Amino acid sequence: MSFESINFEDETRRIARQLWPDANYSGATIIDGRERDGVFETEECIYFLEATCDRSKVKAEKDAEKISKLILQNIRFEKPSIGYIVTKHEPTADQRDVVRKIISKNKIKINILSFSQFQSKIIDVNEYLSLRENHSFDPKTGKYNNDIKYIDGTASDKLSNIWKSQDICNAILEGKNFILTGDYGTGKSMTLRDVYKNLSYAYKDKKTCRFPIYINLREHQKQIDIDEILERHAKKIGFEKKSNLVRAWKAGYCHLILDGFDEMMSIGISNHKDIKKIRYTAVSSIRKFIESAPKDTGIIIAGRKHYFDSTSEMKNSLGLTDFTYLNIGDFTLEQVDIFLKTYGIRTQLPKWIPTRPLLLGTLLLKGYLEKGKDITDPAEGWDILLDEISKREAKIESSISQDAIREFLETLATMARRTDDGLGAITHENIVQAYSISCGSDPDDDAMVLLLRLPGIGFYPNDITLRKFVDEDFCSACSGGFLFRCVSEYNENYIDIIENVQSELSDIGLSIFEYKSKDI
């Protein structure tokens, strides 16, 4: 909703109705032959409203005189009167001065303030945006890291059309909705963060009267009521007037960004085998957000691509209607080149290095992409990356350690080698078994979050209920780590798994085994 596409007076009156919901509302009316933008009479007070986009001193004087006359006419009544002049932009010094003189002359009360200031009586948007910027945009990586530059243009729709962050922002401003999917580390959260930034700029630049709310769904597990989610979100970022955020949402002053539909979990899961029901129940609050969204509210929701068994299940579970589907994949060769040039890196990457933004960023921050740094050993690199992936997943489920998650992935990858291609036809029972072997217990409700959103796992062809590893190098590196554990520590469960493998360990898997064995 932009100021260009709405009647500014109507929007100002809409705020007034939120401020004085019990008032006798006459709307724009004619009094004494002159148009009045709004008159609101409550039990305690009468409010006279004028709204203007004109920044001239003359217009402010004219509006103040109109309100002054009404107040003076009503002064004989016991009920006090207050005037409001609401301007699209911050009132100028001349406008404030002329209104102040009329107030002083007639001994009355008139407030002249900007639209943002008037709206702040419902919610202080600038305070929210400031506090939100200082809160984590991705609980898996902590506070947004400005050391990692965002590479735009990685999202595409079903027709392979590229959607840049500003394109998504512009569509959301028009009330359009999006679902954004991708595998781990492809940059979903960074894309959402950039969309949030652009929506914030649009609000601050007076291009829209709606501001963005960005919610990390990981911080709201087992919450169903959307009012409760909004209030906890406010508390998380330090926004004291929690109910005002709920009020702003219901009043239609927000666009909504929901990050991590795959990180939700519900309470009281009695049957861990009914996976579809678990997923449907876990995302119930998202459905409620969509169902209750005020007209023209733009929404974008993100999560892992292979969380649901199908697009149909995702649409049904999330309650998607009239949503544009976007996906983010690994960097193209051109995007890798842009990424490297952004940091002044001119060396050519070895073929083993994956082109996933998260993994490239990890190697960058650890200095492995610096000129002259030896990054020719894929075993050392993959060992670092597996630790990083496991660390990231551990931040999703804090009750499971980074080491246990890596061991779990290594075990599952070795179980996947029971198939000819070594990538698996993995059942949910296989996943639960691998978890139990690695963590020493069956998964509880919280652990199910991890099991339903495994990194590097995709759909199995012709059977949507099965999964397989989509990255051969990732799977092989994990399996090489499992082989090392089989040699370094005895476990009967390990032996059973190794005995059932059918595919050979690739060169990367063998190199990981050799790399980790050198210190024995």
Side-chain angles (χ1 to χ4, degrees):
M1 182 190 300
S2 67
F3 283 118
E4 289 75 15
S5 63
I6 63 171
N7 185 307
F8 180 69
E9 294 176 7
D10 286 344
E11 194 57 34
T12 304
R13 283 190 287 265
R14 194 160 76 92
I15 293 177
R17 287 197 292 273
Q18 296 292 325
L19 292 174
W20 309 303
D22 298 327
N24 295 320
Y25 172 61
S26 60
T29 188
I30 302 296
I31 301 177
D32 295 337
R34 304 181 72 181
E35 182 180 354
R36 318 293 174 167
D37 291 343
V39 179
F40 299 81
E41 182 176 358
T42 68
E43 290 185 4
E44 295 82 18
C45 187
I46 302 175
Y47 301 95
F48 298 106
L49 180 69
E50 293 294 331
T52 181
C53 296
D54 192 332
R55 307 193 74 181
S56 69
K57 175 182 177 181
V58 172
K59 183 63 165 67
E61 183 177 23
K62 179 180 178 182
D63 286 341
E65 290 288 4
K66 285 169 65 177
I67 292 176
S68 175
K69 184 176 180 181
L70 286 175
I71 293 176
L72 292 174
Q73 286 176 346
N74 284 276
I75 207 164
R76 63 183 181 276
F77 299 113
E78 294 182 1
K79 194 175 292 186
S81 300
I82 299 175
Y84 280 91
I85 299 173
V86 180
T87 61
K88 177 180 177 180
H89 300 280
E90 184 73 18
T92 66
D94 285 343
Q95 286 178 316
R96 292 186 186 279
D97 184 59
V98 72
V99 172
R100 190 181 302 113
K101 289 178 179 178
I102 292 174
I103 293 171
S104 176
K105 173 185 175 182
N106 297 302
K107 303 293 189 294
I108 57 176
K109 186 172 183 180
I110 300 176
N111 301 288
I112 179 169
L113 68 174
S114 69
F115 179 87
S116 294
Q117 291 171 321
F118 193 50
Q119 188 184 44
S120 71
K121 293 180 176 296
I122 296 176
I123 182 170
D124 190 335
V125 177
N126 290 324
E127 180 186 11
Y128 170 82
L129 295 177
S130 176
L131 292 169
R132 186 63 188 86
E133 187 68 24
N134 292 323
H135 185 67
S136 169
F137 280 85
D138 185 353
K140 299 178 286 297
T141 57
K143 186 179 176 181
Y144 181 77
N145 192 339
N146 286 301
D147 293 334
I148 299 295
K149 305 297 189 298
Y150 173 63
I151 305 300
D152 203 356
T154 58
S156 60
D157 60 25
K158 291 183 176 181
L159 298 177
S160 299
N161 298 310
I162 300 299
W163 284 76
K164 291 191 174 183
S165 170
Q166 189 62 57
D167 298 331
I168 299 171
C169 171
N170 292 341
I172 288 175
L173 289 173
E174 295 175 359
K176 303 293 176 51
N177 302 319
F178 294 88
I179 183 77
L180 177 68
T181 61
D183 202 355
Y184 76 97
T186 51
K188 298 183 297 296
S189 293
M190 290 192 75
T191 298
L192 293 189
R193 201 269 184 175
D194 210 63
V195 170
Y196 168 87
K197 179 183 69 175
N198 289 330
L199 289 172
S200 298
Y201 290 159
Y203 177 84
K204 293 174 182 177
D205 291 343
K206 305 295 187 295
K207 295 178 180 178
T208 177
C209 58
R210 283 190 164 126
F211 68 97
I213 294 178
Y214 188 123
I215 296 177
N216 298 320
L217 292 172
R218 175 64 184 91
E219 297 176 335
H220 302 278
Q221 283 193 8
K222 302 181 181 180
Q223 284 188 285
I224 298 175
D225 184 77
I226 62 175
D227 290 2
E228 183 184 356
I229 290 175
L230 289 168
E231 289 191 353
R232 181 187 287 185
H233 171 66
K235 183 178 180 180
K236 282 278 186 181
I237 69 172
F239 189 72
E240 292 185 358
K241 297 180 179 180
K242 298 180 292 183
S243 62
N244 285 13
L245 197 61
V246 178
R247 191 178 180 184
W249 163 255
K250 293 182 176 180
Y253 287 117
C254 316
H255 292 302
L256 185 63
I257 301 174
L258 298 175
D259 189 8
F261 63 69
D262 54 307
E263 298 174 31
M264 300 292 284
M265 179 49 60
S266 59
I267 58 175
I269 300 298
S270 58
N271 182 5
H272 285 176
K273 294 183 179 180
D274 193 344
I275 304 304
K276 283 190 176 182
K277 183 177 180 180
I278 291 175
R279 289 191 290 251
Y280 184 84
T281 306
V283 298
S284 62
S285 58
I286 299 177
R287 290 195 302 276
K288 291 181 179 180
F289 267 119
I290 293 174
E291 291 168 0
S292 67
K295 183 181 178 182
D296 296 327
T297 297
I299 300 175
I300 182 168
I301 308 166
R304 288 197 177 169
K305 182 178 181 179
H306 301 106
Y307 179 74
F308 295 104
D309 284 345
S310 63
T311 300
S312 176
E313 185 197 350
M314 178 172 68
K315 182 178 179 180
N316 180 60
S317 296
L318 297 177
L320 305 180
T321 56
D322 195 24
F323 271 67
T324 298
Y325 293 78
L326 302 179
N327 185 66
I328 298 182
D330 291 350
F331 278 161
T332 63
L333 293 178
E334 180 182 1
Q335 288 165 343
V336 169
D337 188 54
I338 294 172
F339 178 86
L340 295 177
K341 287 182 179 178
T342 301
Y343 299 97
I345 298 171
R346 304 298 177 185
T347 57
Q348 187 172 1
L349 296 182
K351 292 182 179 180
W352 72 266
I353 293 183
T355 58
R356 189 153 297 175
L358 168 70
L359 305 185
L360 278 175
T362 298
L363 293 174
L364 172 75
L365 293 180
K366 292 183 178 294
Y368 278 79
L369 300 185
E370 294 175 1
K371 186 175 181 180
K373 182 76 173 180
D374 182 11
I375 54 173
T376 59
D377 184 1
E380 181 182 4
W382 269 108
D383 190 56
I384 292 171
L385 294 179
L386 291 180
D387 274 344
E388 183 65 23
I389 292 167
S390 302
K391 178 181 178 182
R392 198 168 188 263
E393 296 303 307
K395 289 185 177 180
I396 297 297
E397 184 40 65
S398 58
S399 64
I400 308 173
S401 70
Q402 172 183 333
D403 291 342
I405 289 178
R406 176 162 178 173
E407 184 176 335
F408 164 55
L409 292 172
E410 291 173 344
T411 302
L412 189 63
T414 306
M415 293 172 71
R417 290 174 56 206
R418 294 171 180 173
T419 55
D420 291 338
D421 63 2
L423 301 178
I426 303 168
T427 66
H428 181 67
E429 288 72 22
N430 295 148
I431 295 173
V432 171
Q433 181 187 5
Y435 177 91
S436 299
I437 291 172
S438 305
C439 300
S441 64
D442 292 335
D444 57 15
D445 288 354
D446 292 334
M448 287 299 296
V449 178
L450 170 66
L451 302 192
L452 293 174
R453 59 183 303 278
L454 295 173
I457 304 294
F459 298 131
Y460 186 81
N462 303 320
D463 191 340
I464 59 175
T465 65
L466 299 179
R467 298 291 189 266
K468 66 179 294 184
F469 280 83
V470 294
D471 187 328
E472 184 177 349
D473 289 346
F474 174 67
C475 181
S476 184
C478 287
S479 193
F482 183 86
L483 181 60
F484 169 74
R485 282 195 283 112
C486 287
V487 173
S488 60
E489 57 184 89
Y490 176 77
N491 186 313
E492 289 185 0
N493 291 320
Y494 294 171
I495 304 302
D496 291 339
I497 293 172
I498 287 290
E499 286 180 345
N500 289 315
V501 300
Q502 296 183 29
S503 64
E504 295 183 355
L505 192 61
S506 74
D507 289 343
I508 285 184
L510 290 172
S511 67
I512 285 282
F513 173 75
E514 294 171 359
Y515 175 78
K516 296 184 75 66
S517 298
K518 65 183 181 181
D519 295 328
I520 295 181

